[in-house]
Amino acid sequence: LRIAIPNKGRLSGKAIGILNRIGMNIPEDPGRTLMVNIGKGRYSVLFARADDIPEFVDTGAADIGVTGLDILMEDALKNVVKLLDLGFGRCRLVVAVPEDSGISSPEDIPAGSRVATSFPRLTGSYFQKLGKSIEVISVSGATELTPQIGVADLITDLTETGSTLKM
């Protein structure tokens, strides 16, 4: 059985903890280790970027994986399904606007607004459910900067606590 888990970040420690509770004995900090064989080779744990795990499962490089539901929803791979909610890594999609925008709720967002995000599929789906016609601007980082430099009118992001977004 090949299990892919995140190699770093909040999900990594929690995934390692779960596997260790069932007797896998994975190092708490795998460092640069890419793979660990356990149980006389019956099990392999692959350490990978959380974004890559669905592709590993989809192609058969891993039998199962631990990653964020947001990543599964963005990728929409045909051979990957959610099996179990492990109860950690909760986050939500948030809409953020510049303070001087005059927008106080998603309903106030004008049609045709440009929305920058690293999650274009989730963002598009969210605004479609609201009945809002928007333009999604896909970016891979520094989303918070895009309204300030004229790339977008507002942003969406995934957050657990919202503290980074508030800063």
Side-chain angles (χ1 to χ4, degrees):
L1 179 68
R2 287 174 290 183
I3 307 166
I5 65 171
N7 59 355
K8 60 183 177 179
R10 293 180 190 172
L11 296 180
S12 178
K14 299 280 189 176
I16 289 171
I18 285 173
L19 294 176
N20 282 343
R21 282 195 296 279
I22 62 170
M24 292 241 172
N25 298 319
I26 300 167
E28 292 294 326
D29 180 10
R32 294 191 155 287
T33 303
L34 299 176
M35 185 167 64
V36 173
N37 287 309
I38 301 162
K40 299 179 183 174
R42 292 190 324 240
Y43 310 104
S44 295
V45 177
L46 314 172
F47 297 95
R49 290 186 62 232
D51 290 348
D52 293 335
I53 290 172
E55 186 68 32
F56 289 0
V57 173
D58 189 55
T59 61
D63 299 304
I64 60 173
V66 175
T67 195
L69 182 59
D70 57 311
I71 295 169
L72 288 182
M73 293 175 73
E74 275 300 317
D75 289 349
L77 298 169
K78 63 181 178 200
N79 295 317
V80 178
V81 295
K82 175 185 164 188
L83 296 178
L84 179 66
D85 184 337
L86 297 174
F88 60 84
R90 299 264 183 242
C91 62
R92 66 191 188 286
L93 184 74
V94 295
V95 177
V97 297
E99 288 184 56
D100 62 354
S101 71
I103 296 171
S104 60
S105 76
E107 290 75 22
D108 298 338
I109 297 168
S113 292
R114 294 170 298 144
V115 183
T117 185
S118 298
F119 306 96
R121 185 171 284 170
L122 292 172
T123 297
S125 176
Y126 173 77
F127 281 101
Q128 184 178 26
K129 286 177 187 170
L130 285 180
K132 294 282 182 179
S133 175
I134 51 102
E135 178 185 352
V136 176
I137 309 293
S138 185
V139 295
S140 59
T143 308
E144 298 87 353
L145 179 64
T146 61
Q148 296 174 18
I149 61 173
V151 171
D153 302 306
L154 58 134
I155 69 168
T156 62
D157 201 1
L158 291 177
T159 182
E160 189 172 3
T161 64
S163 59
T164 302
L165 195 55
K166 287 176 189 171
M167 290 190 320

